[in-house]
């Protein structure tokens, strides 16, 4: 019992020590690097570049949409009348299979 408590205590101490050292010094705050002011010419050049990239992206995407394009909805493969006819056919085949099955058997035989 004493060994288990000792081992758990050592493991907990190591965990707290690693957590404390991972945080760094107390009160030491990293500041972001000072921002350099861009000249009006640089800002205009960057804006023109972004505008050109956006225009190219619009030209390459279908329908002029920018961003992820949703897939078109699946096309209806059969009309409601065709579905009803297929359902009736399956029902008739099932009824015919039941009539042909020997009396007292349920399901396919092995």
């Amino acid at each position: 019992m004493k060994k288990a408590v000792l081992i758990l205590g050592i493991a907990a101490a190591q965990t707290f020590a690693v957590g404390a050292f991972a945080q760094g010094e107390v009160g030491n705050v990293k500041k972001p690097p000072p921002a350099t002011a861009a000249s009006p010419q640089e800002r205009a050049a960057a804006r023109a570049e972004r505008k050109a990239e956006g225009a190219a992206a619009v030209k390459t995407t279908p329908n002029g949409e920018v961003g992820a394009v949703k897939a078109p909805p699946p096309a209806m493969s059969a009309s409601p009348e065709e579905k009803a006819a297929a359902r009736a056919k399956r029902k008739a085949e099932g009824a015919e299979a039941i009539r042909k099955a020997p009396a007292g058997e349920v399901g396919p035989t092995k």
Side-chain angles (χ1 to χ4, degrees):
M1 178 68 183
K2 289 183 180 180
K3 286 185 180 181
V5 172
L6 179 66
I7 291 172
L8 289 175
I10 291 173
Q14 287 178 346
T15 304
F16 290 126
V18 169
F21 284 114
Q23 292 178 1
E25 290 184 33
V26 176
N28 187 10
V29 178
K30 291 184 180 180
K31 295 180 181 176
T36 56
S39 67
Q41 293 84 11
E42 291 173 342
R43 283 185 271 161
R47 189 177 308 118
E49 183 180 343
R50 288 192 305 271
K51 193 172 184 180
E53 288 175 0
V58 168
K59 288 179 183 178
T60 59
T61 57
N63 301 328
E65 296 175 0
V66 178
V69 179
K70 293 182 180 178
M76 295 294 288
S77 60
S79 67
E81 293 82 16
E82 292 173 342
K83 289 181 180 180
R87 190 179 318 116
K89 181 181 176 185
R90 286 193 308 268
K91 196 173 188 180
E93 289 173 353
E96 185 177 335
I98 289 172
R99 274 189 268 119
K100 288 183 180 180
E105 289 190 22
V106 178
T109 59
K110 291 184 180 180

